[in-house]
């Protein structure tokens, strides 16, 4: 079944998810949809309007969410491993406990997202990339440029690649801050 740019009911949505794997919901209007724990592995949600949707615990592994509007969406504990969120709008979304390992976040708007911390300091990287930290099930995941792994692996990466130079010193300060943030969240 293919739905593009249409408003669908909760019952129709549940039928689509149950019938089609992976389902194609490109451009669908899923405002305030209740998708708690839904299996949307590999789903095409490009450009979907998921404003305020409840996706807590949803399985979105390898889903295509390019350009999707997830403003205010509840993604607590969602599995977004390997999902493509390029250009997605996540303003105010709750990503606490979400698995974003391997997720593609290039151009995603994460401003105001809950459960995620963004840091940027001029000179921290040559390309002034934003550093994103996600508190994820007992550890912190770091996304900066093409790097996406745990804080522990990031610390080793910084030591191996930047040492005590300008970037290394800035990263060391950020790492110390992230440890404190993790302990208090």
């Amino acid at each position: 079944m293919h739905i593009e740019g249409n408003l669908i009911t909760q019952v129709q949505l549940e039928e689509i998810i149950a019938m089609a794997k992976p389902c194609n919901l490109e451009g669908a209007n899923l405002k305030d949809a209740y998708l708690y724990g839904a299996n949307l592995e590999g789903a095409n949600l490009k450009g979907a309007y998921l404003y305020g949707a409840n996706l807590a615990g949803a399985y979105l592994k390898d889903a295509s969410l390019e350009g999707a509007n997830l403003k205010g969406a509840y993604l607590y504990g969602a599995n977004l491993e390997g999902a493509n969120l390029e250009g997605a709008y996540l303003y105010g979304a709750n990503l606490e406990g979400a698995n974003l390992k391997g997720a593609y976040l290039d151009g995603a708007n994460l401003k105001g997202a809950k459960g995620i911390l963004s840091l940027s300091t001029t000179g921290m990287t040559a390309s002034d990339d934003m550093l994103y930290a996600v508190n994820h099930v007992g550890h912190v995941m770091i996304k900066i440029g093409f790097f996406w792994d745990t804080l522990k692996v990031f610390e080793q990466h910084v030591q191996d690649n930047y040492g005590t130079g300008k970037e290394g010193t800035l990263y060391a300060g950020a790492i110390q801050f992230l440890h404190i943030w993790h302990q208090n969240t």
Side-chain angles (χ1 to χ4, degrees), residues 1-183:
M1 182 178 284
H2 177 78
I3 296 191
E4 191 169 322
N6 297 312
L7 178 61
I8 58 177
T9 67
Q10 186 69 38
V11 172
Q12 289 171 320
L13 180 59
E14 290 169 9
E15 289 174 1
I16 292 165
I17 292 169
M19 288 181 355
K21 296 289 183 214
C23 59
N24 184 354
L25 293 164
E26 184 173 347
N29 184 341
L30 302 171
K31 182 178 188 270
D32 298 324
Y34 183 78
L35 295 163
Y36 179 89
N39 182 352
L40 292 163
E41 181 176 6
N44 179 2
L45 291 156
K46 291 178 187 173
Y49 187 68
L50 290 151
Y51 180 96
N54 183 344
L55 290 151
Y59 192 70
L60 291 151
K61 185 175 188 229
D62 300 322
S64 297
L65 290 148
E66 299 102 312
N69 184 336
L70 291 148
K71 181 178 181 182
Y74 190 66
L75 292 149
Y76 183 89
N79 185 346
L80 291 152
E81 183 177 345
N84 187 343
L85 291 151
E86 181 179 4
Y89 187 66
L90 292 142
Y91 183 87
N94 186 335
L95 293 163
E96 292 181 64
N99 179 3
L100 291 162
K101 186 162 180 72
Y104 187 69
L105 297 166
D106 192 43
N109 181 343
L110 297 164
K111 185 176 182 180
K114 296 170 186 74
I116 195 162
L117 178 74
S118 56
L119 298 172
S120 179
T121 302
T122 303
M124 193 157 65
T125 66
S127 59
D128 287 330
D129 287 327
M130 182 73 74
L131 182 147
Y132 295 103
V134 179
N135 216 347
H136 173 68
V137 192
H139 60 273
V140 175
M141 297 293 296
I142 302 295
K143 164 76 170 96
I144 185 165
F146 294 108
F147 182 90
W148 179 247
D149 214 318
T150 65
L151 179 57
K152 184 177 180 178
V153 172
F154 181 63
E155 284 182 84
Q156 190 61 52
H157 172 77
V158 168
Q159 289 173 2
D160 294 346
N161 294 285
Y162 301 102
T164 57
K166 180 182 175 185
E167 287 180 341
T169 303
L170 287 169
Y171 279 133
I175 289 166
Q176 186 175 16
F177 173 77
L178 290 168
H179 279 294
I180 294 166
W181 174 71
H182 178 60
Q183 291 169 356

